[in-house]
Amino acid sequence: MDHALQTAIDQVQSARADGQALCLRGGGSKDFLGRSHGALLDTRTLCGILSYEPTELVVTVGCGTPLAELEAVLAEQGQCLPFEPPHLRWSLPSTEQASTATVGGMLAAGLAGPARASVGGVRDYVLGLKLVNGLGQHLSFGGQVMKNVAGYDVSRLMVGARGTLGLLTEVSLKVLPRAPAEATLCFVLEQAQALEHLHRWGGQPLPLNASCWVLDDSVAGVDAKPCLFVRLRGAVAAVEAACQKMLAEVPGQRLDPAQASADWELCRNQQLPFFTRPPAPDAQLWRLSLPQTAPVVRLPSAPFVEWHGGLRWLWALPGAAQEVQTAAREAGGSAAIFVPGTEPVAAQAHALTPADAALARVSQRLKASFDPKGLFNPGLSPDANQSRA
């Protein structure tokens, strides 16, 4: 990666000298979140597994490495990225058959999958990274072990920064072994009942890993019934005991493991029917980040609920923006549009994200420190919703 790294550094230094903006881009799977303007700097040349110690549960990888490639290497050793970063294949052109998501895009977007509420998010697994700042300097932060830090934890600050603070070149990640056992349970429950049971189960020593609630489900062949799906992961004895306990408390069924696994993968990448069948051509997909303990929120339509109540997806017409944001704010959270479309729509999505004045000031100071000339991804800003991503 040495030649590719030097080429990238030269491009940053040249852009700085010429006052030219740079658009940092990997595989493009997150383009719908917003595109910046400027000369393209393709990060995919910064690729490769630089070091991997399965016994130490640490991997160091170039940020242009395909996410699918990293996950395949980890799977060979029975390990994984437990936060299940989405590949978002639906956002790709129909001619693209495979995921183009990169490790750098995973960090820049900061998005996590169904297991987020139980295992943590992207930033919880970042041990250290290297980046090129707006001065063309190649800097190193953190390392390959978990440790306390004083001041800003720069490695984790980069998660969700959307490439606005620097060009990520490599990252060291903590990985974990795959759970020895897994089971998915399905319960026919209204949203309020589902949230009540999730909150109660969450306070017990049960191996809860992921959950989702949907009003009109076709995932497991259950037609037009409100369903709660709960995934359990852990030791064989713990999973089996939890299945018996939960099914004894609430009538439900245990799903076929192969079908359930495929459905959770669709959930991870927003490919379930809820996401692929908008109720109207101009409907917008909203992402509500709420406290897990938030009750049922009055919304324009029934949401798709994940993260034990902490993440709620919603289809709403363009005129419902104020209603949705007010409902999210009153529940102690925030809401932003999360929908593919034209660049104006993407820009509108982030303009609608509630701004926190104190957070905005910190972001401005960080930007001035890392990228004083504003070279990287102009027009984008760190996503305020990533506080719970």
Side-chain angles (χ1 to χ4, degrees):
M1 195 176 75
D2 291 346
H3 175 70
L5 174 60
Q6 189 58 54
T7 300
I9 292 174
D10 290 345
Q11 186 173 352
V12 173
Q13 292 176 339
S14 177
R16 180 173 181 267
D18 297 339
Q20 181 185 46
L22 291 173
C23 172
L24 309 183
R25 186 174 187 268
S29 64
K30 312 296 189 302
D31 281 354
F32 67 92
L33 291 175
R35 288 288 301 276
S36 66
H37 59 82
L40 175 65
L41 195 164
D42 193 331
T43 66
R44 290 175 293 181
T45 59
L46 304 169
C47 60
I49 308 295
L50 305 180
S51 69
Y52 179 30
E53 298 294 338
T55 58
E56 299 295 330
L57 301 177
V58 174
V59 63
T60 300
V61 58
C63 285
T65 305
L67 181 56
E69 178 183 326
L70 172 59
E71 291 185 318
V73 170
L74 296 177
E76 291 177 357
Q77 299 295 325
Q79 297 178 351
C80 66
L81 299 172
F83 52 90
E84 300 177 305
H87 290 248
L88 299 177
R89 293 178 177 86
W90 57 263
S91 66
L92 304 174
S94 58
T95 54
E96 295 280 1
Q97 298 299 316
S99 166
T100 62
T102 63
V103 174
M106 174 190 79
L107 266 68
L111 300 174
R116 164 66 179 88
S118 300
V119 304
V122 183
R123 61 169 52 92
D124 298 303
Y125 293 83
V126 175
L127 300 176
L129 56 75
K130 294 182 180 180
L131 62 85
V132 179
N133 67 4
L135 302 178
Q137 301 168 325
H138 194 216
L139 307 177
S140 178
F141 300 95
Q144 293 186 330
V145 296
M146 299 297 291
K147 60 182 180 181
N148 294 325
V149 295
Y152 290 122
D153 187 346
V154 174
S155 300
R156 298 185 182 187
L157 277 175
M158 296 299 150
V159 177
R162 306 174 69 207
T164 59
L165 299 179
L167 168 64
L168 302 176
T169 61
E170 68 179 70
V171 61
S172 294
L173 298 165
K174 177 177 66 174
V175 300
L176 291 180
R178 289 184 175 276
E182 177 179 314
T184 296
L185 306 180
C186 174
F187 307 92
V188 178
L189 295 168
E190 296 293 340
Q191 187 184 171
Q193 295 174 301
L195 292 173
E196 179 184 347
H197 288 301
L198 284 172
H199 299 160
R200 180 169 53 83
W201 286 331
Q204 300 175 11
L206 298 171
L208 301 182
N209 177 261
S211 65
C212 68
W213 179 89
V214 61
L215 176 61
D216 184 2
D217 176 67
S218 58
V219 177
V222 183
D223 296 327
K225 292 182 180 178
C227 288
L228 170 65
F229 298 88
V230 179
R231 185 173 66 189
L232 305 167
R233 279 182 176 172
V236 175
V239 169
E240 292 302 319
C243 287
Q244 294 179 23
K245 174 181 173 59
M246 294 167 68
L247 291 173
E249 293 178 355
V250 184
Q253 60 177 312
R254 185 167 178 170
L255 302 184
D256 174 73
Q259 183 60 54
S261 178
D263 289 338
W264 283 113
E265 185 66 15
L266 294 176
C267 180
R268 169 187 181 180
N269 289 297
Q270 285 90 59
Q271 291 178 309
L272 291 172
F274 175 89
F275 297 100
T276 60
R277 301 173 187 169
D282 57 344
Q284 297 172 324
L285 181 63
W286 285 77
R287 182 179 187 271
L288 281 68
S289 181
L290 305 178
Q292 284 187 21
T293 54
V296 175
V297 177
R298 187 172 182 177
L299 297 168
S301 62
F304 182 93
V305 181
E306 287 192 83
W307 299 2
H308 312 332
L311 179 62
R312 307 188 193 189
W313 301 94
L314 173 75
W315 285 106
L317 296 177
Q322 184 174 352
E323 179 184 357
V324 174
Q325 288 196 308
T326 299
R329 186 166 54 250
E330 290 178 349
S334 60
I337 296 174
F338 186 96
V339 61
T342 62
E343 289 187 7
V345 170
Q348 178 191 22
H350 294 284
L352 286 172
T353 304
D356 180 279
L359 181 60
R361 288 194 295 271
V362 172
S363 296
Q364 291 168 2
R365 292 172 65 183
L366 286 171
K367 180 69 173 176
S369 176
F370 282 92
D371 184 20
K373 288 195 172 183
L375 303 179
F376 299 125
N377 286 355
L380 298 182
S381 60
D383 192 338
N385 258 3
Q386 295 311 314
S387 61
R388 293 191 181 94

